[in-house]
Amino acid sequence: MKILRALSAMPVTALVVLALAGCADTQASLQEARTKVAATLPAPYFEDLVTESVAIEGDRLVLLIRSPKGSAARTREAPGFDTLKESEQIALRELCTQPAIMPLTDTDAVLVRRFVDRHDAVFFDVELPARACATPPTDAPAQP
């Protein structure tokens, strides 16, 4: 009976060890990516927007993009806000091509762009699991 209990506990133990190893790999990869991306910042993003910093929040690599002139509250109420957010969600895939980000595609990391105004009010976040970088978007044109 003791042998059966010991054998039945082994798969659970193995799963826990594998899960913890995956977390460690994700965190190590996130740290490496954060260091590499941070070395390139601040950097222009689009028009007056600036990618200001990068941080790790759990399993998320968060790039902070600041608008020095915009107002998050007014922008969220403006017509076309949803379209703007959708376009940024699509543009997030551009991160997948950055050499610092590529090692994250085999981890549980999530890529995030957080847009804030000059007072740190959040316009919105867009996010993409890094594993999704390995698959083309569903709306990608077919290759001939």
Side-chain angles (χ1 to χ4, degrees), residues 20-82:
L20 291 175
C23 291
D25 289 345
T26 297
Q27 288 302 308
S29 296
L30 280 167
Q31 289 291 343
E32 184 176 337
R34 188 202 64 74
T35 300
K36 288 179 180 178
V37 172
T40 68
L41 301 178
Y45 178 70
F46 179 76
E47 292 182 1
D48 67 337
L49 301 176
V50 175
T51 304
E52 191 172 271
S53 63
V54 60
I56 298 170
E57 295 177 1
D59 64 352
R60 299 160 38 111
L61 184 72
V62 181
L63 286 93
L64 186 76
I65 300 172
R66 186 170 306 278
S67 171
K69 298 177 185 171
S71 163
R74 283 195 312 244
T75 301
R76 285 191 305 267
E77 295 172 1
F81 175 73
D82 290 335

